[in-house]
Amino acid sequence: MINQNSEILNKIFFTELQMLVEKYNEIDEATKKYVEIKITNLKDEELQEYLMKNQNKLLETLQ
């Protein structure tokens, strides 16, 4: 919950959260496995953490 006093902000937040969950649920199995293999095989933990926090960079490296 964002703020107990802001019903509108809470609705916006939960709508965005739902859209994000749907986005990740729609990823096909082949892509999921590819991403998991690439991330888990990274030996550099700092790079792994960076890519996990910066999905745009992660997508660039996977292409």
Side-chain angles (χ1 to χ4, degrees), residues 1 3 8 10 13 19 21 26 49 51 55-56 61:
M1 203 175 273
N3 185 334
I8 298 298
N10 282 324
F13 171 76
M19 290 169 51
V21 168
E26 291 174 359
E49 185 177 333
L51 291 174
Q55 291 84 12
N56 291 335
T61 61

Side-chain angles (χ1 to χ4, degrees), residues 23-24 35 39 42 45-62:
K23 172 186 170 183
Y24 282 91
V35 169
I39 291 295
L42 279 175
E45 290 182 21
E46 287 182 24
L47 179 57
Q48 186 180 30
E49 185 177 333
Y50 172 79
L51 291 174
M52 295 292 290
K53 289 181 179 178
N54 297 283
Q55 291 84 12
N56 291 335
K57 293 294 183 190
L58 175 61
L59 293 175
E60 285 178 21
T61 61
L62 294 175

